[in-house]
Amino acid sequence: MAEKMVEKVKRLSDNPKNIRNIAICAHIDHGKTTFSDNLLAGAGMMSEELAGKQLVLDFHEDESARGITIDTAAVSMVHNFEDSEYLINLLDTPGHVDFGGDVTRAMRAVDGAIVLCCASEGIMPQTETVLRQALKERVKPILFINKVDRLIKELKLTPEKMQERFVKIITQVNKLINQIAEKEYGEKWSKISPTDGNVAFGSAFHNWALSVPYMQDKGITFNDVIDAYEKGGEAYKELAKKAPIHEVVLDMVVDHLPNPVDAQKYRIPKIWHGDNESELGQSLIKCDSKGKLGFVITKIVVDPQAGEIAAGRLFSGTIKRGMDVYMNKAKQNAKIQQVFIYNGAKREIIEDVPAGNIIGIAGLKSTPGETVTLEQDEPFEAITHIFEPVVTKAIEATKPADLPKLIEVLRQIAKEDPTVEIEINEETGEHLLHGMGELHLEIIENRIKTEKNVEVKTSPPIVVYRETVSKPSPEMEGKSPNKHNKFYMIVEPLEDEIYNAIKEGKIREGRIKKKDPELRDAFVEAGMDSKEAEKVKNVYEGNIFMDMTRGQVYINEVIELILDEFENVMRGGPLAKEPCVRLKVRMMDMKLHEDAIHRGPAQVYPAVRESIKLAMMSAKPIVYEPIQITRFEAPLEYAGELSKLVAHRRGQLLDMTEESGSSIVKAKMPVAETFGLSSDLRSATGGRGTSSLIDQMFEKLPEELQQKVVQQIVSRKGLEEGQLGA
C-alpha cells in the first residue's frame, strides 16, 4: 500500500538535514499566494486546476474579498530532488505594509526566503522592507522573478530587452542585500546570479518557471517560452508541463537554502543572547533533538474547534504531547495538549516532533514571541517590528450586553496580531485599538463583526503623538510622600546617533542587569563615552535611563522600582499622557531612608515619577507627530494632481520621477493628514493611483500647532489639570 502523505511528512520531519524552512516575501500584489498555491499543487497537496485561483492560503473571507493576504499561512510539502525526499515547510507572508508585523514574525521561524519580484514593476518599497526583515534575522534570500508573461504579452519585449530587465532586478537585489545585511553575510549572500542557479523566472499564474540549471538539464531555452505565448490559446499549458513551477523553484530551494542544522549555527548567536556554552545554547546551535527544549511561537491562530493553536519553530529538543513546559515571557508553567504538523495547509495531530520543524501546538495560553523551554531559561530576543502603531480608534459594543464578549475578542485579536495594541481601560470603559494605518484598523473592525460576531461601532481614527524635550533640564528633586527619600533627575534630548542605533536594532531594548561589553560597545560606536555607556540601566521604547549615582548602599533594592516608574512615565508623559520618545533620563543622586520599610514601592514610585516629570516640564517639553514617507504612483497625466494632493495635506515632496509611463512621487506626510487619503487619491487619479509606505518616523510638530494639538488630546482623553504637568 502506498505511503500516505501525512506519514511521509512525519518520517521526513525526523531528519533535519532534509528539511527546508522557508518564507515567501514580496511587495503587495506581486503574486505570492498564487505562487504558493502552485507549489502546493505540484507537491500533490491540492488540485492543479484550482491552483492560482483557489488561493488556498487565504483562509479569511476578507482576504479573498480584498484579494490580499493578511495572515501568514503555514504549509508543508514533500519534494523529490536528486533521488532524495525533502520536507519543505513554507510560510506565505503578507505584502501589505499594514501587516508587516506578520512578516517579521514569520522570519523568526525560517532559515531561507524566496524574494518574489514582479518582472514589470521591479523592486518596490515593500520588497526592500521584507528583505530588511529577513536579513535582520539572518535569513538567506534567493530570488524568483514572477509575471514574466506580462513582458511578452503586454510589453512585447524582445529576449534581449527581457534579459536587460532581469539583470537590472538582480543587480538591485544584490545591492540591497549588500547594504542591509551584516558585512560577512552581505558579501556571501549578494551573489545572486542565474548561472549559480539561485534565481528563477516564471509566471505563477501560468504555472511555469525556468532556472539556468533546469534549462541545461531539460534542454529548454528562452525561445520556447516566447514561442508558447506567440502560438496563442492555451499553448503555455505545454510549458507548464515541460517546466512546472514547483519543480524548478523547490529544486532551487533544496539546492541553495540551508537546512536547520547548518542555519542554526549562525542564526542562534544573532537571535538568542544566552550563553552559547550552556546546555540549552549547545542544543540550539546543534539543532539537537535529544537536547534541551527551545521553541519559539511566531503566530497564534484561534481555531473555533481546537482553541488557541500556537505555531512556531522548534529550534532544539523534541516536543511531545502531554509535556510540561515553561513559558519564559509569561513566567508560567503549561502543559502541551496536542502537537500538530502541517500536511499541506491541514493540521495533523502527532505524538511528538523533533528539532528543526515548523509545528503547531495546542494548550498554551500565550502570545507570539514567547520562548517555550522545560524550565526557566534565557528567552529568545524579542521580535521587533519595523513600524509602530500610529493610528488609534476607540471601539465599543453596540449592545451593552456584548461588552464582556468584546473584551474577550479584543484580547484574542491582540494575540493573533501583535502589531495591534489593545488598551482596555477598566475605569472609563474605553477600549482603544492602536494599529499601523486606516486599512489595518478597518480590517480588524470587520473581523470583529464577521468572524467574532460582535456588533461594534468605532470612533473616527486619531493619531498617537509622542512627547519629548527640546533642551537639557536642570537637576530636579522628587520627594517621597513620607519626605524621607529623595531622587535627583536630569532629562535631556537623546542624541540622534543613539536613537537611530536603537531604532535599527544595533542597541537592543530592555533592562541591563549585568555588565554587557557588546551593548557597551554599541553605545560607544553611536558616540557615547565608554564610562557613561556602562551607566545605562534601561533602554525602553527609544528612551534611555542612566544611573550616575555613586556609593549608594541600597541601590540594588530599589533599582527595579526606579526602572518600573521610569517606564511608566515613558508610556505617558506630563504634557498630554502620550508616550515619550528620544529622552535621556539621568539619575544624578538619591537619598534613601535607612529602614527598608520606609523605602518601599509606595514611597519610591511617586518620588521617581515626580522628579522625572518636573525635569521634563523644565526642559521645554514638545510634541512630536508621526510622519510617513509614502510613494505614490499614477499615470503621467496625473503628476500635477499628485503634487496637489501632497501639498494640501501639509506634505513635503521629496522626489518626483518618471518611469515607463508612470509618474512616481515620494513625499513626507504627517499621519494626521492621511485619513481619507486613499479615496482622495482614487478620485484625483481616476482610480489609477496607488500608494505604498516606505518609512515612518516622528518629527517635531510645527510650533503654531503645538498648543492646539496638546489641548485636543487633553480634551479628547478627558484629562484634568491635576493629572498633567509635574
Side-chain angles (χ1 to χ4, degrees), residues 344-608:
K346 298 194 292 288
R347 288 192 306 268
E348 304 279 355
I349 300 177
I350 55 170
E351 276 303 310
D352 57 77
V353 70
N357 283 285
I358 290 178
I359 55 168
I361 49 181
L364 304 187
K365 286 267 179 239
S366 180
T367 52
E370 177 65 89
T371 303
V372 178
T373 48
L374 290 176
E375 64 264 350
Q376 190 171 358
D377 222 313
E378 175 74 29
F380 274 73
E381 179 183 89
I383 298 177
T384 51
H385 301 127
I386 286 190
F387 301 132
E388 12 186 341
V390 288
V391 177
T392 299
K393 278 182 168 185
I395 181 166
E396 53 179 306
T398 320
K399 303 188 199 111
D402 281 342
L403 187 62
K405 191 173 171 193
L406 175 66
I407 292 180
E408 183 52 37
V409 162
L410 289 176
R411 292 206 167 112
Q412 254 182 22
I413 279 179
K415 285 185 176 182
E416 291 180 15
D417 181 356
T419 41
V420 186
E421 281 176 22
I422 305 282
E423 214 177 301
I424 296 175
N425 189 333
E426 305 284 350
E427 292 164 24
T428 60
E430 182 182 48
H431 311 315
L432 298 178
L433 282 178
H434 306 291
M436 295 287 173
E438 246 183 322
L439 172 69
H440 192 195
L441 292 178
E442 201 181 300
I443 281 182
I444 285 160
E445 197 183 324
N446 255 347
R447 286 198 180 174
I448 292 176
K449 290 176 186 164
T450 55
E451 291 179 18
K452 316 279 188 199
N453 303 321
V454 180
E455 273 306 312
V456 290
K457 48 179 191 257
T458 54
S459 69
I462 45 183
V463 172
V464 185
Y465 291 88
R466 294 286 186 272
E467 295 185 25
T468 189
V469 298
S470 41
K471 61 174 196 179
S473 73
E475 194 173 298
M476 299 307 268
E477 174 190 79
K479 283 194 193 116
S480 61
N482 65 10
K483 306 283 185 280
H484 291 306
N485 305 285
K486 294 175 183 169
F487 295 91
Y488 298 89
M489 302 283 181
I490 289 180
V491 172
E492 56 189 287
L494 184 60
E495 295 84 351
D496 287 348
E497 291 78 11
I498 296 176
Y499 176 71
N500 293 335
I502 296 172
K503 200 177 165 199
E504 286 162 20
K506 289 178 187 160
I507 293 175
R508 67 171 188 275
E509 300 224 343
R511 296 186 183 187
I512 297 147
K513 302 274 198 308
K514 52 185 188 297
K515 283 195 171 166
D516 184 338
E518 226 177 273
L519 195 64
R520 183 199 61 211
D521 295 346
F523 273 111
V524 172
E525 205 173 299
M528 192 184 265
D529 177 73
S530 71
K531 281 206 172 65
E532 281 213 328
E534 290 188 339
K535 302 216 160 51
V536 177
K537 289 284 174 262
N538 196 349
V539 180
Y540 183 75
E541 313 263 318
N543 305 287
I544 66 173
F545 181 88
M546 298 168 76
D547 170 20
M548 311 298 283
T549 60
R550 289 213 176 110
Q552 291 286 348
V553 187
Y554 306 118
I555 180 101
N556 288 339
E557 292 177 33
V558 293
I559 187 74
E560 290 296 317
L561 299 176
I562 295 168
L563 295 182
D564 283 347
E565 201 48 49
F566 158 71
E567 290 177 7
N568 189 22
V569 177
M570 293 305 107
R571 283 194 292 271
L575 270 182
K577 288 255 185 286
E578 292 286 89
C580 299
V581 74
R582 289 176 185 256
L583 291 182
K584 176 153 84 179
V585 179
R586 293 190 297 160
M587 179 164 71
M588 305 311 287
D589 196 7
M590 60 178 179
K591 296 189 172 71
L592 294 173
H593 196 283
E594 283 168 11
D595 202 342
I597 202 160
H598 293 304
R599 51 166 196 267
Q603 304 299 332
V604 173
Y605 284 161
V608 173

Side-chain angles (χ1 to χ4, degrees), residues 310-331:
R313 166 76 175 265
L314 181 58
F315 284 99
S316 66
T318 295
I319 223 164
K320 297 185 178 72
R321 202 169 77 178
M323 195 177 205
D324 289 309
V325 292
Y326 181 78
M327 302 193 291
N328 287 281
K329 211 162 111 185
K331 296 191 172 31

Side-chain angles (χ1 to χ4, degrees), residues 37 45 52 72 107 138-139 233 259 293 325 364 372 394 437 508 517 551 615 643 721:
D37 269 8
M45 304 264 182
T72 302
M107 290 307 165
R138 280 193 193 158
V139 167
N259 62 45
L293 182 74
V325 292
L364 304 187
V372 178
R508 67 171 188 275
S643 52
E721 280 302 305

